[in-house]
Amino acid sequence: MFHRAAASKSLLRHAVSGRRLASTKTLKEALQEVIPAKQEQLKRIKSEHSQTVVGDVKVENIIGGMRGLKSMLWEASVLDPNEGIRFHGLTIPDCQKQLPAAPGGKEIIAESMLWLLMTGKSPPKPRLPTTLHPMTQLGIGVAALNHDSAFQNAYEKGIKKSDYWTYTLEDCINLIARLPALAARIYRNVYNPGTELRGISKDLDLVGNYTNMLGYGNNKDLTEYLRLYISIHGDHEGGNASAHTAHLVGSTLADPYISYSAALFALAGPLHGLANQEVLRWQLSMQKAMGDKASHDDIKAYLWKTLKSGQVVPGYGHGVLRKSDPRFIALQEFCDTRPDLMASPIINLVKKTYEVAPGVLMEHGKTKNPWPNVDATSGCVLYHYGLREFKYYTVIFGVSRALGALTQLVWARALGLPLERPKSLSMDVLEKIIESA
């Protein structure tokens, strides 16, 4: 296990240390070029526009969990109600066109998305020895996560505030490298106890090694799907519960391991990370009730039955989006390119539901957004490929969301963002404010 951990750190050092692979820059070198400009931009905004009003706080913001309130700086992504998520200005289709894929594959690799989230730029196309592939040689060992944090050790010894980000970056890269191996070990321990975890392959990227350690290494389509899934789930702005938790805990100067563990606990709730499980259970219940040949009218009747029973239709609606989630569209397009998925009864049911559900929800009239979110299909594809342990799906989500949450920790330290401390109000004080307004 410790040899595996050592191999992981050695491979990752190519990304964060001063060593180069052929003509490429390391991630740390790329950040050193980008950070000064961002620091200057923040300095200018603070000095010239600190009193500019960007929005009004309403009672519904205060009592509604700050929903929609513009109150957080988050560099890597912006979620638009109509256009969906953009990573440094790039839509999901843009990313699919511009970001490098794995050798022999077509889908974005997590390393490419991490580079984009960190630097705001597409990763360089490196010229490398055939024995080593850049950003794919992420040693994903089963390393103990209680090793000393580089940031924590440096902070206790005393370092300049301007150097916080460098030690945070080292911790974040190490954590991202270790997460898939840890996640695979959890899967093996719970569902296949006693089986050995497969070793790290230098010919595979982070997700390729992940699926291999899960025991699905021979399923190339599943590996491609998880590459796409993990990359487009990597960040979704800062207001969602897991990302916000990582930011909040990180603002105390807690190290990345502690900060992201808190984010994972936030992700575990049924209103956040468990959503795709609920969708899959609901779709399987529909399949059991209607059969594999359910018509659009059958599905419409089942939707109304769900709504009239007081339940919501899982997988539809979103706290911000007001159109079909681009992540849902990307996953559907993935399905459309593979005959086995096109022939899958559960995937066909998802597609037919998409063709019927928005109209039913609009007619129902109680849903602000009748369009599908990413969870409407994500778990169903995993189910088709044989990964049917529902409780594990959130672990995969946790591996992906680390890309964005940990990117923000690096930027929070680089920009010197303060401790997060919103002002709370009692209902009596709130009512006085309402009366005076």
PDB file of all heavy atoms in Angstrom, residues 74 76-80 84-87 92 117 232-240 243 272 318 320-321 325-327 373-374 397 401 404-405:
ATOM      1  N   TRP A  74     -16.326  32.896  -6.925  1.00  0.00           N
ATOM      2  CA  TRP A  74     -16.012  31.523  -7.363  1.00  0.00           C
ATOM      3  C   TRP A  74     -15.465  31.608  -8.774  1.00  0.00           C
ATOM      4  O   TRP A  74     -16.187  31.901  -9.719  1.00  0.00           O
ATOM      5  CB  TRP A  74     -17.274  30.660  -7.313  1.00  0.00           C
ATOM      6  CG  TRP A  74     -17.015  29.190  -7.442  1.00  0.00           C
ATOM      7  CD1 TRP A  74     -16.974  28.448  -8.588  1.00  0.00           C
ATOM      8  CD2 TRP A  74     -16.777  28.277  -6.374  1.00  0.00           C
ATOM      9  NE1 TRP A  74     -16.721  27.138  -8.317  1.00  0.00           N
ATOM     10  CE2 TRP A  74     -16.603  26.997  -6.954  1.00  0.00           C
ATOM     11  CE3 TRP A  74     -16.696  28.403  -4.987  1.00  0.00           C
ATOM     12  CZ2 TRP A  74     -16.340  25.853  -6.183  1.00  0.00           C
ATOM     13  CZ3 TRP A  74     -16.442  27.265  -4.235  1.00  0.00           C
ATOM     14  CH2 TRP A  74     -16.271  26.017  -4.820  1.00  0.00           C
ATOM     15  N   ALA A  76     -13.905  29.383 -10.976  1.00  0.00           N
ATOM     16  CA  ALA A  76     -13.792  28.350 -12.003  1.00  0.00           C
ATOM     17  C   ALA A  76     -15.016  28.202 -12.895  1.00  0.00           C
ATOM     18  O   ALA A  76     -14.893  27.811 -14.051  1.00  0.00           O
ATOM     19  CB  ALA A  76     -13.457  27.005 -11.352  1.00  0.00           C
ATOM     20  N   SER A  77     -16.216  28.476 -12.365  1.00  0.00           N
ATOM     21  CA  SER A  77     -17.403  28.223 -13.176  1.00  0.00           C
ATOM     22  C   SER A  77     -18.513  29.202 -12.826  1.00  0.00           C
ATOM     23  O   SER A  77     -18.548  29.749 -11.732  1.00  0.00           O
ATOM     24  CB  SER A  77     -17.904  26.788 -12.973  1.00  0.00           C
ATOM     25  OG  SER A  77     -18.342  26.585 -11.638  1.00  0.00           O
ATOM     26  N   VAL A  78     -19.401  29.399 -13.790  1.00  0.00           N
ATOM     27  CA  VAL A  78     -20.575  30.248 -13.604  1.00  0.00           C
ATOM     28  C   VAL A  78     -21.775  29.485 -14.131  1.00  0.00           C
ATOM     29  O   VAL A  78     -21.739  28.940 -15.246  1.00  0.00           O
ATOM     30  CB  VAL A  78     -20.441  31.593 -14.349  1.00  0.00           C
ATOM     31  CG1 VAL A  78     -21.732  32.381 -14.270  1.00  0.00           C
ATOM     32  CG2 VAL A  78     -19.289  32.409 -13.765  1.00  0.00           C
ATOM     33  N   LEU A  79     -22.849  29.436 -13.343  1.00  0.00           N
ATOM     34  CA  LEU A  79     -24.054  28.717 -13.731  1.00  0.00           C
ATOM     35  C   LEU A  79     -25.113  29.712 -14.160  1.00  0.00           C
ATOM     36  O   LEU A  79     -25.617  30.482 -13.354  1.00  0.00           O
ATOM     37  CB  LEU A  79     -24.553  27.860 -12.566  1.00  0.00           C
ATOM     38  CG  LEU A  79     -25.764  26.977 -12.846  1.00  0.00           C
ATOM     39  CD1 LEU A  79     -25.488  26.013 -13.992  1.00  0.00           C
ATOM     40  CD2 LEU A  79     -26.151  26.210 -11.584  1.00  0.00           C
ATOM     41  N   ASP A  80     -25.427  29.708 -15.438  1.00  0.00           N
ATOM     42  CA  ASP A  80     -26.433  30.605 -15.993  1.00  0.00           C
ATOM     43  C   ASP A  80     -27.764  29.870 -16.108  1.00  0.00           C
ATOM     44  O   ASP A  80     -27.792  28.716 -16.553  1.00  0.00           O
ATOM     45  CB  ASP A  80     -25.982  31.088 -17.379  1.00  0.00           C
ATOM     46  CG  ASP A  80     -26.950  32.097 -17.961  1.00  0.00           C
ATOM     47  OD1 ASP A  80     -26.796  33.300 -17.706  1.00  0.00           O
ATOM     48  OD2 ASP A  80     -27.889  31.668 -18.673  1.00  0.00           O
ATOM     49  N   GLY A  84     -26.722  27.302 -18.823  1.00  0.00           N
ATOM     50  CA  GLY A  84     -26.123  26.204 -18.075  1.00  0.00           C
ATOM     51  C   GLY A  84     -24.729  26.540 -17.590  1.00  0.00           C
ATOM     52  O   GLY A  84     -24.308  27.703 -17.593  1.00  0.00           O
ATOM     53  N   ILE A  85     -23.993  25.525 -17.192  1.00  0.00           N
ATOM     54  CA  ILE A  85     -22.685  25.734 -16.590  1.00  0.00           C
ATOM     55  C   ILE A  85     -21.646  26.105 -17.641  1.00  0.00           C
ATOM     56  O   ILE A  85     -21.634  25.564 -18.754  1.00  0.00           O
ATOM     57  CB  ILE A  85     -22.228  24.468 -15.816  1.00  0.00           C
ATOM     58  CG1 ILE A  85     -21.029  24.772 -14.923  1.00  0.00           C
ATOM     59  CG2 ILE A  85     -21.956  23.302 -16.750  1.00  0.00           C
ATOM     60  CD1 ILE A  85     -21.345  25.669 -13.754  1.00  0.00           C
ATOM     61  N   ARG A  86     -20.800  27.059 -17.305  1.00  0.00           N
ATOM     62  CA  ARG A  86     -19.646  27.413 -18.132  1.00  0.00           C
ATOM     63  C   ARG A  86     -18.401  27.345 -17.255  1.00  0.00           C
ATOM     64  O   ARG A  86     -18.382  27.892 -16.166  1.00  0.00           O
ATOM     65  CB  ARG A  86     -19.783  28.824 -18.718  1.00  0.00           C
ATOM     66  CG  ARG A  86     -20.734  28.921 -19.900  1.00  0.00           C
ATOM     67  CD  ARG A  86     -20.823  30.344 -20.435  1.00  0.00           C
ATOM     68  NE  ARG A  86     -21.644  30.421 -21.632  1.00  0.00           N
ATOM     69  CZ  ARG A  86     -21.176  30.364 -22.872  1.00  0.00           C
ATOM     70  NH1 ARG A  86     -19.868  30.222 -23.074  1.00  0.00           N
ATOM     71  NH2 ARG A  86     -21.979  30.434 -23.907  1.00  0.00           N
ATOM     72  N   PHE A  87     -17.375  26.683 -17.759  1.00  0.00           N
ATOM     73  CA  PHE A  87     -16.097  26.582 -17.059  1.00  0.00           C
ATOM     74  C   PHE A  87     -15.144  27.591 -17.687  1.00  0.00           C
ATOM     75  O   PHE A  87     -14.685  27.399 -18.808  1.00  0.00           O
ATOM     76  CB  PHE A  87     -15.523  25.167 -17.182  1.00  0.00           C
ATOM     77  CG  PHE A  87     -16.487  24.081 -16.789  1.00  0.00           C
ATOM     78  CD1 PHE A  87     -17.082  23.279 -17.756  1.00  0.00           C
ATOM     79  CD2 PHE A  87     -16.813  23.871 -15.467  1.00  0.00           C
ATOM     80  CE1 PHE A  87     -17.964  22.278 -17.404  1.00  0.00           C
ATOM     81  CE2 PHE A  87     -17.706  22.870 -15.104  1.00  0.00           C
ATOM     82  CZ  PHE A  87     -18.279  22.074 -16.073  1.00  0.00           C
ATOM     83  N   ILE A  92     -20.147  23.042 -21.945  1.00  0.00           N
ATOM     84  CA  ILE A  92     -19.785  21.620 -21.990  1.00  0.00           C
ATOM     85  C   ILE A  92     -19.440  21.180 -23.411  1.00  0.00           C
ATOM     86  O   ILE A  92     -18.412  20.508 -23.623  1.00  0.00           O
ATOM     87  CB  ILE A  92     -20.900  20.760 -21.375  1.00  0.00           C
ATOM     88  CG1 ILE A  92     -20.880  20.920 -19.840  1.00  0.00           C
ATOM     89  CG2 ILE A  92     -20.737  19.287 -21.749  1.00  0.00           C
ATOM     90  CD1 ILE A  92     -21.975  20.207 -19.114  1.00  0.00           C
ATOM     91  N   LEU A 117      -9.935  24.172 -14.965  1.00  0.00           N
ATOM     92  CA  LEU A 117     -10.500  24.805 -13.777  1.00  0.00           C
ATOM     93  C   LEU A 117      -9.444  25.613 -13.025  1.00  0.00           C
ATOM     94  O   LEU A 117      -9.711  26.702 -12.530  1.00  0.00           O
ATOM     95  CB  LEU A 117     -11.102  23.751 -12.852  1.00  0.00           C
ATOM     96  CG  LEU A 117     -12.354  23.020 -13.367  1.00  0.00           C
ATOM     97  CD1 LEU A 117     -12.767  21.928 -12.392  1.00  0.00           C
ATOM     98  CD2 LEU A 117     -13.500  23.982 -13.602  1.00  0.00           C
ATOM     99  N   ILE A 232     -17.558  16.569 -16.423  1.00  0.00           N
ATOM    100  CA  ILE A 232     -18.609  17.585 -16.448  1.00  0.00           C
ATOM    101  C   ILE A 232     -19.268  17.760 -15.083  1.00  0.00           C
ATOM    102  O   ILE A 232     -19.957  18.748 -14.849  1.00  0.00           O
ATOM    103  CB  ILE A 232     -19.683  17.289 -17.522  1.00  0.00           C
ATOM    104  CG1 ILE A 232     -20.465  16.014 -17.208  1.00  0.00           C
ATOM    105  CG2 ILE A 232     -19.044  17.217 -18.896  1.00  0.00           C
ATOM    106  CD1 ILE A 232     -21.593  15.739 -18.200  1.00  0.00           C
ATOM    107  N   HIS A 233     -19.038  16.817 -14.160  1.00  0.00           N
ATOM    108  CA  HIS A 233     -19.481  16.981 -12.777  1.00  0.00           C
ATOM    109  C   HIS A 233     -18.425  17.670 -11.930  1.00  0.00           C
ATOM    110  O   HIS A 233     -18.649  17.938 -10.751  1.00  0.00           O
ATOM    111  CB  HIS A 233     -19.788  15.615 -12.140  1.00  0.00           C
ATOM    112  CG  HIS A 233     -21.180  15.141 -12.343  1.00  0.00           C
ATOM    113  ND1 HIS A 233     -21.658  14.729 -13.557  1.00  0.00           N
ATOM    114  CD2 HIS A 233     -22.218  15.008 -11.474  1.00  0.00           C
ATOM    115  CE1 HIS A 233     -22.917  14.350 -13.436  1.00  0.00           C
ATOM    116  NE2 HIS A 233     -23.291  14.519 -12.184  1.00  0.00           N
ATOM    117  N   GLY A 234     -17.264  17.947 -12.520  1.00  0.00           N
ATOM    118  CA  GLY A 234     -16.131  18.440 -11.758  1.00  0.00           C
ATOM    119  C   GLY A 234     -16.383  19.742 -11.019  1.00  0.00           C
ATOM    120  O   GLY A 234     -15.834  19.980  -9.949  1.00  0.00           O
ATOM    121  N   ASP A 235     -17.225  20.603 -11.589  1.00  0.00           N
ATOM    122  CA  ASP A 235     -17.536  21.863 -10.919  1.00  0.00           C
ATOM    123  C   ASP A 235     -18.918  22.310 -11.376  1.00  0.00           C
ATOM    124  O   ASP A 235     -19.325  22.046 -12.514  1.00  0.00           O
ATOM    125  CB  ASP A 235     -16.496  22.935 -11.270  1.00  0.00           C
ATOM    126  CG  ASP A 235     -16.472  24.081 -10.267  1.00  0.00           C
ATOM    127  OD1 ASP A 235     -16.842  23.852  -9.104  1.00  0.00           O
ATOM    128  OD2 ASP A 235     -16.085  25.196 -10.648  1.00  0.00           O
ATOM    129  N   HIS A 236     -19.651  22.962 -10.502  1.00  0.00           N
ATOM    130  CA  HIS A 236     -20.963  23.492 -10.857  1.00  0.00           C
ATOM    131  C   HIS A 236     -21.237  24.728 -10.020  1.00  0.00           C
ATOM    132  O   HIS A 236     -22.221  24.836  -9.315  1.00  0.00           O
ATOM    133  CB  HIS A 236     -22.054  22.436 -10.652  1.00  0.00           C
ATOM    134  CG  HIS A 236     -23.176  22.578 -11.632  1.00  0.00           C
ATOM    135  ND1 HIS A 236     -24.506  22.635 -11.260  1.00  0.00           N
ATOM    136  CD2 HIS A 236     -23.168  22.675 -12.984  1.00  0.00           C
ATOM    137  CE1 HIS A 236     -25.258  22.751 -12.345  1.00  0.00           C
ATOM    138  NE2 HIS A 236     -24.483  22.780 -13.400  1.00  0.00           N
ATOM    139  N   GLU A 237     -20.284  25.686 -10.125  1.00  0.00           N
ATOM    140  CA  GLU A 237     -20.369  26.934  -9.389  1.00  0.00           C
ATOM    141  C   GLU A 237     -20.164  26.659  -7.897  1.00  0.00           C
ATOM    142  O   GLU A 237     -19.958  25.526  -7.479  1.00  0.00           O
ATOM    143  CB  GLU A 237     -21.704  27.612  -9.664  1.00  0.00           C
ATOM    144  CG  GLU A 237     -21.731  29.110  -9.433  1.00  0.00           C
ATOM    145  CD  GLU A 237     -23.092  29.697  -9.781  1.00  0.00           C
ATOM    146  OE1 GLU A 237     -24.095  29.254  -9.207  1.00  0.00           O
ATOM    147  OE2 GLU A 237     -23.143  30.610 -10.616  1.00  0.00           O
ATOM    148  N   GLY A 238     -20.191  27.704  -7.083  1.00  0.00           N
ATOM    149  CA  GLY A 238     -19.865  27.539  -5.674  1.00  0.00           C
ATOM    150  C   GLY A 238     -21.028  27.441  -4.713  1.00  0.00           C
ATOM    151  O   GLY A 238     -20.829  27.150  -3.536  1.00  0.00           O
ATOM    152  N   GLY A 239     -22.256  27.661  -5.205  1.00  0.00           N
ATOM    153  CA  GLY A 239     -23.383  27.722  -4.286  1.00  0.00           C
ATOM    154  C   GLY A 239     -23.980  26.388  -3.897  1.00  0.00           C
ATOM    155  O   GLY A 239     -24.745  26.318  -2.937  1.00  0.00           O
ATOM    156  N   ASN A 240     -23.663  25.308  -4.645  1.00  0.00           N
ATOM    157  CA  ASN A 240     -24.210  24.012  -4.261  1.00  0.00           C
ATOM    158  C   ASN A 240     -23.616  23.582  -2.920  1.00  0.00           C
ATOM    159  O   ASN A 240     -22.552  24.021  -2.510  1.00  0.00           O
ATOM    160  CB  ASN A 240     -23.949  22.968  -5.353  1.00  0.00           C
ATOM    161  CG  ASN A 240     -22.480  22.739  -5.597  1.00  0.00           C
ATOM    162  OD1 ASN A 240     -21.812  22.032  -4.845  1.00  0.00           O
ATOM    163  ND2 ASN A 240     -21.948  23.353  -6.657  1.00  0.00           N
ATOM    164  N   ALA A 243     -19.797  22.105  -2.669  1.00  0.00           N
ATOM    165  CA  ALA A 243     -18.777  23.102  -3.005  1.00  0.00           C
ATOM    166  C   ALA A 243     -18.750  24.224  -1.966  1.00  0.00           C
ATOM    167  O   ALA A 243     -17.678  24.673  -1.540  1.00  0.00           O
ATOM    168  CB  ALA A 243     -19.034  23.679  -4.395  1.00  0.00           C
ATOM    169  N   HIS A 272     -28.999  16.327  -2.521  1.00  0.00           N
ATOM    170  CA  HIS A 272     -27.803  16.710  -3.275  1.00  0.00           C
ATOM    171  C   HIS A 272     -27.242  15.485  -3.995  1.00  0.00           C
ATOM    172  O   HIS A 272     -27.690  15.139  -5.075  1.00  0.00           O
ATOM    173  CB  HIS A 272     -26.787  17.331  -2.317  1.00  0.00           C
ATOM    174  CG  HIS A 272     -25.663  18.062  -2.987  1.00  0.00           C
ATOM    175  ND1 HIS A 272     -25.648  18.374  -4.329  1.00  0.00           N
ATOM    176  CD2 HIS A 272     -24.500  18.552  -2.497  1.00  0.00           C
ATOM    177  CE1 HIS A 272     -24.537  19.031  -4.616  1.00  0.00           C
ATOM    178  NE2 HIS A 272     -23.817  19.138  -3.529  1.00  0.00           N
ATOM    179  N   HIS A 318     -34.272  22.323 -11.209  1.00  0.00           N
ATOM    180  CA  HIS A 318     -32.938  22.685 -10.737  1.00  0.00           C
ATOM    181  C   HIS A 318     -33.033  24.015 -10.013  1.00  0.00           C
ATOM    182  O   HIS A 318     -33.855  24.858 -10.354  1.00  0.00           O
ATOM    183  CB  HIS A 318     -31.962  22.785 -11.923  1.00  0.00           C
ATOM    184  CG  HIS A 318     -30.524  22.908 -11.525  1.00  0.00           C
ATOM    185  ND1 HIS A 318     -29.948  24.117 -11.203  1.00  0.00           N
ATOM    186  CD2 HIS A 318     -29.554  21.977 -11.379  1.00  0.00           C
ATOM    187  CE1 HIS A 318     -28.673  23.914 -10.893  1.00  0.00           C
ATOM    188  NE2 HIS A 318     -28.415  22.631 -10.994  1.00  0.00           N
ATOM    189  N   VAL A 320     -31.147  26.531 -10.107  1.00  0.00           N
ATOM    190  CA  VAL A 320     -30.717  27.691 -10.891  1.00  0.00           C
ATOM    191  C   VAL A 320     -31.181  27.594 -12.334  1.00  0.00           C
ATOM    192  O   VAL A 320     -31.737  28.540 -12.895  1.00  0.00           O
ATOM    193  CB  VAL A 320     -29.177  27.839 -10.859  1.00  0.00           C
ATOM    194  CG1 VAL A 320     -28.728  29.007 -11.738  1.00  0.00           C
ATOM    195  CG2 VAL A 320     -28.682  28.031  -9.429  1.00  0.00           C
ATOM    196  N   LEU A 321     -30.969  26.461 -12.965  1.00  0.00           N
ATOM    197  CA  LEU A 321     -31.227  26.313 -14.395  1.00  0.00           C
ATOM    198  C   LEU A 321     -32.703  26.482 -14.742  1.00  0.00           C
ATOM    199  O   LEU A 321     -33.580  26.070 -13.982  1.00  0.00           O
ATOM    200  CB  LEU A 321     -30.750  24.943 -14.876  1.00  0.00           C
ATOM    201  CG  LEU A 321     -29.234  24.715 -14.897  1.00  0.00           C
ATOM    202  CD1 LEU A 321     -28.927  23.257 -15.170  1.00  0.00           C
ATOM    203  CD2 LEU A 321     -28.580  25.604 -15.946  1.00  0.00           C
ATOM    204  N   ASP A 325     -30.590  20.769 -18.612  1.00  0.00           N
ATOM    205  CA  ASP A 325     -29.216  20.818 -18.124  1.00  0.00           C
ATOM    206  C   ASP A 325     -28.263  20.370 -19.238  1.00  0.00           C
ATOM    207  O   ASP A 325     -28.420  19.264 -19.784  1.00  0.00           O
ATOM    208  CB  ASP A 325     -29.101  19.875 -16.917  1.00  0.00           C
ATOM    209  CG  ASP A 325     -27.801  20.032 -16.152  1.00  0.00           C
ATOM    210  OD1 ASP A 325     -26.794  20.423 -16.769  1.00  0.00           O
ATOM    211  OD2 ASP A 325     -27.791  19.728 -14.949  1.00  0.00           O
ATOM    212  N   PRO A 326     -27.279  21.202 -19.618  1.00  0.00           N
ATOM    213  CA  PRO A 326     -26.326  20.794 -20.659  1.00  0.00           C
ATOM    214  C   PRO A 326     -25.602  19.494 -20.321  1.00  0.00           C
ATOM    215  O   PRO A 326     -25.182  18.763 -21.218  1.00  0.00           O
ATOM    216  CB  PRO A 326     -25.347  21.975 -20.726  1.00  0.00           C
ATOM    217  CG  PRO A 326     -26.123  23.138 -20.226  1.00  0.00           C
ATOM    218  CD  PRO A 326     -27.031  22.587 -19.171  1.00  0.00           C
ATOM    219  N   ARG A 327     -25.445  19.206 -19.035  1.00  0.00           N
ATOM    220  CA  ARG A 327     -24.816  17.940 -18.641  1.00  0.00           C
ATOM    221  C   ARG A 327     -25.717  16.768 -19.006  1.00  0.00           C
ATOM    222  O   ARG A 327     -25.242  15.718 -19.442  1.00  0.00           O
ATOM    223  CB  ARG A 327     -24.502  17.958 -17.143  1.00  0.00           C
ATOM    224  CG  ARG A 327     -23.529  19.052 -16.736  1.00  0.00           C
ATOM    225  CD  ARG A 327     -23.390  19.136 -15.227  1.00  0.00           C
ATOM    226  NE  ARG A 327     -24.673  19.442 -14.592  1.00  0.00           N
ATOM    227  CZ  ARG A 327     -24.871  19.440 -13.275  1.00  0.00           C
ATOM    228  NH1 ARG A 327     -23.880  19.140 -12.452  1.00  0.00           N
ATOM    229  NH2 ARG A 327     -26.054  19.750 -12.776  1.00  0.00           N
ATOM    230  N   ASN A 373     -32.492  17.663 -15.178  1.00  0.00           N
ATOM    231  CA  ASN A 373     -31.129  17.943 -14.733  1.00  0.00           C
ATOM    232  C   ASN A 373     -30.274  16.717 -14.991  1.00  0.00           C
ATOM    233  O   ASN A 373     -30.751  15.703 -15.505  1.00  0.00           O
ATOM    234  CB  ASN A 373     -31.115  18.364 -13.262  1.00  0.00           C
ATOM    235  CG  ASN A 373     -31.704  17.307 -12.348  1.00  0.00           C
ATOM    236  OD1 ASN A 373     -31.267  16.166 -12.327  1.00  0.00           O
ATOM    237  ND2 ASN A 373     -32.714  17.684 -11.565  1.00  0.00           N
ATOM    238  N   VAL A 374     -29.023  16.793 -14.645  1.00  0.00           N
ATOM    239  CA  VAL A 374     -28.080  15.721 -14.996  1.00  0.00           C
ATOM    240  C   VAL A 374     -28.465  14.388 -14.379  1.00  0.00           C
ATOM    241  O   VAL A 374     -28.203  13.322 -14.932  1.00  0.00           O
ATOM    242  CB  VAL A 374     -26.649  16.136 -14.588  1.00  0.00           C
ATOM    243  CG1 VAL A 374     -26.505  16.212 -13.073  1.00  0.00           C
ATOM    244  CG2 VAL A 374     -25.612  15.185 -15.177  1.00  0.00           C
ATOM    245  N   PHE A 397     -19.641  10.571  -7.578  1.00  0.00           N
ATOM    246  CA  PHE A 397     -19.886  12.019  -7.589  1.00  0.00           C
ATOM    247  C   PHE A 397     -18.822  12.720  -6.745  1.00  0.00           C
ATOM    248  O   PHE A 397     -18.297  13.771  -7.124  1.00  0.00           O
ATOM    249  CB  PHE A 397     -21.286  12.274  -7.029  1.00  0.00           C
ATOM    250  CG  PHE A 397     -21.854  13.643  -7.329  1.00  0.00           C
ATOM    251  CD1 PHE A 397     -23.204  13.898  -7.112  1.00  0.00           C
ATOM    252  CD2 PHE A 397     -21.070  14.680  -7.812  1.00  0.00           C
ATOM    253  CE1 PHE A 397     -23.754  15.136  -7.365  1.00  0.00           C
ATOM    254  CE2 PHE A 397     -21.612  15.935  -8.080  1.00  0.00           C
ATOM    255  CZ  PHE A 397     -22.950  16.157  -7.849  1.00  0.00           C
ATOM    256  N   ARG A 401     -16.463  15.869  -7.969  1.00  0.00           N
ATOM    257  CA  ARG A 401     -16.644  17.218  -7.448  1.00  0.00           C
ATOM    258  C   ARG A 401     -15.369  17.775  -6.805  1.00  0.00           C
ATOM    259  O   ARG A 401     -15.217  18.984  -6.630  1.00  0.00           O
ATOM    260  CB  ARG A 401     -17.813  17.233  -6.466  1.00  0.00           C
ATOM    261  CG  ARG A 401     -18.264  18.587  -5.938  1.00  0.00           C
ATOM    262  CD  ARG A 401     -18.438  19.662  -6.980  1.00  0.00           C
ATOM    263  NE  ARG A 401     -19.301  19.348  -8.084  1.00  0.00           N
ATOM    264  CZ  ARG A 401     -20.621  19.534  -8.117  1.00  0.00           C
ATOM    265  NH1 ARG A 401     -21.237  20.017  -7.072  1.00  0.00           N
ATOM    266  NH2 ARG A 401     -21.316  19.249  -9.190  1.00  0.00           N
ATOM    267  N   GLY A 404     -13.434  20.732  -8.831  1.00  0.00           N
ATOM    268  CA  GLY A 404     -13.809  22.140  -8.692  1.00  0.00           C
ATOM    269  C   GLY A 404     -13.632  22.677  -7.296  1.00  0.00           C
ATOM    270  O   GLY A 404     -13.133  23.795  -7.104  1.00  0.00           O
ATOM    271  N   ALA A 405     -14.035  21.888  -6.277  1.00  0.00           N
ATOM    272  CA  ALA A 405     -13.949  22.367  -4.896  1.00  0.00           C
ATOM    273  C   ALA A 405     -12.504  22.609  -4.485  1.00  0.00           C
ATOM    274  O   ALA A 405     -12.194  23.598  -3.805  1.00  0.00           O
ATOM    275  CB  ALA A 405     -14.610  21.352  -3.957  1.00  0.00           C
TER     276      ALA A 405
END
